Amino acid sequence: MGLSLDLAAVISTTLEGIFYGFSVFMFGVTLYILKQNSRRLDRRVNYRMVAVSYALLACSTAHMIIDIIRTSNGLVFKRDTFPGGPVAFFSQPSETTFIAKNIVYLFQTLLGDGVLIYRCYVVWQSWLIVAFPIVMWFWIGIVSAIAIHASATVPAGAGTVFLTSVGQWITAFYASTLATNFLVSMLLAYKIWVTNRRVAHMSEGSLFPVVRVIADAGLLYSAALTAALACFVQKSNGQYIILDIVTPIISITFYMVIIRVGLAATSRSTDHAASTLEFSSQHHARSHSNNTGPRVVTVGDLESQALPMSRLQVHITKMRETDRATIEGEGENDTSSETDRKLSGFEGRGRKGI
């Protein structure tokens, strides 16, 4: 026995509520990360990412509210008045709440895919690379608009989305957005991986964690779309469940990239700051351990530190303590002390680029 539509509505709304709550939590963390990064890098908050975050939250919230209203109408308010009962209510493609939730899903899909394509352009810096994904993005909008219009014009009692002309457009929509998401995610991961290999010998950090973040987000979204497409092709009512949880998943994948990359960057920054502070403390302690003679910072002291630079300029400063006797002695003898001569000799050799 297959999954009934009224039971599918209950399960889908429940699961969507769980994913929605998690997405709201990640939304708050995302705003915090964006604010902290702006402080750490001493620049303005990335208001474009903030705006996208709010837009995705608005879409998820609107979709959640519509599903609550739809479930309440089908199971409570219109249970006895809608022709055919709850099953007929949830199977009607032209029902108002079904059209409304699909419009919200369309907007959120275009927003999420658009941000992914934009990230790809930022990484590649080439319109040629993102030309095909942009064409696919427009195609997704056209196909989904046709599917929504076809759903709205289905006569009452004509059948479900599987038995009408709506099905072919929904299949095309799922396939198109899945292909676009997979292609752009692979382009992003490949470019970052290649860049990391080129600069690996010049940098102490690795970009491989960023590749993993993008791959994980792409795989999560692709898995949800693949499940929805498979259920729809098999004419399973499980596709209604997948459809409802995909909406918060789109937001989650967007937040996940910002959060994980931001936390990784903060961790690297903290580690580097701690290393720098430790080196400064050690150098300060060594410089004050002997107040009667000059302190020379040797090249070995610097080589023991993991400094993130390919070229280091070393400058040696000459330090000398004098007293009244020394000053009077210098008036009689204009020659430098042996220590000064040694220091002068090292200073001449020390001003080299390493």
Side-chain angles (χ1 to χ4, degrees):
M1 181 177 178
L3 182 66
S4 61
L5 288 175
D6 51 353
L7 179 58
V10 174
I11 296 175
S12 65
T13 305
T14 303
L15 292 178
E16 182 183 4
I18 296 173
F19 280 93
Y20 172 74
F22 187 61
S23 69
V24 171
F25 168 75
M26 295 186 67
F27 166 76
V29 178
T30 297
L31 294 185
Y32 175 78
I33 291 295
L34 290 174
K35 184 177 181 179
Q36 289 298 111
N37 284 348
S38 67
R39 290 180 177 179
R40 180 174 57 85
L41 301 176
D42 193 21
R43 64 184 185 187
R44 294 178 58 187
V45 178
N46 192 334
Y47 289 107
R48 286 178 296 182
M49 292 296 101
V50 172
V52 173
S53 300
Y54 273 103
L56 290 174
L57 177 67
C59 288
S60 299
T61 304
H63 198 276
M64 185 77 244
I65 293 174
I66 293 172
D67 268 337
I68 292 175
I69 295 174
R70 175 176 170 81
T71 304
S72 300
N73 288 340
L75 298 178
V76 180
F77 300 112
K78 297 183 179 181
R79 178 183 57 189
D80 300 324
T81 59
F82 194 88
V87 175
F89 176 86
F90 290 114
S91 65
Q92 179 60 36
S94 58
E95 203 277 323
T96 304
T97 55
F98 184 75
I99 299 299
K101 65 185 291 184
N102 279 282
I103 291 176
V104 173
Y105 175 54
L106 163 62
F107 181 77
Q108 188 164 21
T109 299
L110 292 177
L111 183 61
D113 290 350
V115 171
L116 189 63
I117 294 173
Y118 171 75
R119 284 172 175 165
C120 186
Y121 167 73
V122 170
V123 170
W124 281 89
Q125 289 294 306
S126 172
W127 287 109
L128 184 62
I129 295 295
V130 298
F132 182 71
I134 290 176
V135 173
M136 291 294 296
W137 185 82
F138 280 104
W139 171 248
I140 291 171
I142 294 173
V143 169
S144 55
I146 294 175
I148 292 174
H149 179 267
S151 297
T153 56
V154 173
T160 66
V161 292
F162 304 117
L163 304 177
T164 61
S165 59
V166 182
Q168 60 182 349
W169 296 110
I170 294 179
T171 303
F173 167 78
Y174 282 141
S176 299
T177 187
L178 175 61
T180 303
N181 177 80
F182 182 79
L183 174 62
V184 177
S185 297
M186 291 301 100
L187 287 174
L188 273 170
Y190 173 75
K191 181 62 176 179
I192 297 175
W193 177 71
V194 170
T195 303
N196 181 68
R197 292 191 60 185
R198 291 178 179 176
V199 302
H201 64 286
M202 296 184 296
S203 174
E204 65 174 355
S206 173
L207 297 177
F208 184 72
V210 181
V211 177
R212 289 191 58 185
V213 169
I214 295 174
D216 291 345
L219 287 175
L220 176 61
Y221 187 35
S222 297
L225 292 175
T226 302
L229 179 60
C231 289
F232 195 87
V233 171
Q234 295 297 321
K235 295 181 173 55
S236 169
N237 290 333
Q239 72 96 17
Y240 291 101
I241 299 176
I242 303 299
L243 175 64
D244 286 344
I245 66 174
V246 163
T247 303
I249 285 178
I250 294 175
S251 302
I252 288 173
T253 54
F254 173 80
Y255 301 146
M256 184 171 67
V257 172
I258 293 180
I259 292 173
R260 292 181 61 181
V261 173
L263 291 177
T266 302
S267 177
R268 288 194 300 269
S269 177
T270 302
D271 293 342
H272 175 64
S275 176
T276 304
L277 180 61
E278 181 182 1
F279 166 71
S280 300
S281 300
Q282 293 174 355
H283 170 57
H284 183 73
R286 288 196 302 266
S287 63
H288 288 78
S289 62
N290 186 4
N291 294 327
T292 59
R295 170 71 178 116
V296 178
V297 181
T298 65
V299 178
D301 293 330
L302 297 175
E303 288 178 342
S304 63
Q305 308 297 325
L307 298 178
M309 55 182 67
S310 59
R311 185 174 179 85
L312 182 65
Q313 189 74 20
V314 179
H315 297 280
I316 307 300
T317 303
K318 185 165 59 176
M319 301 172 60
R320 184 176 59 177
E321 292 186 2
T322 59
D323 51 20
R324 182 179 299 276
T326 304
I327 296 175
E328 293 175 355
E330 286 181 351
E332 299 174 359
N333 188 0
D334 196 29
T335 60
S336 300
S337 65
E338 182 179 356
T339 302
D340 292 335
R341 288 195 299 270
K342 291 182 180 179
L343 183 60
S344 300
F346 183 83
E347 181 180 9
R349 295 190 303 272
R351 297 183 181 273
K352 296 180 181 179
I354 298 175

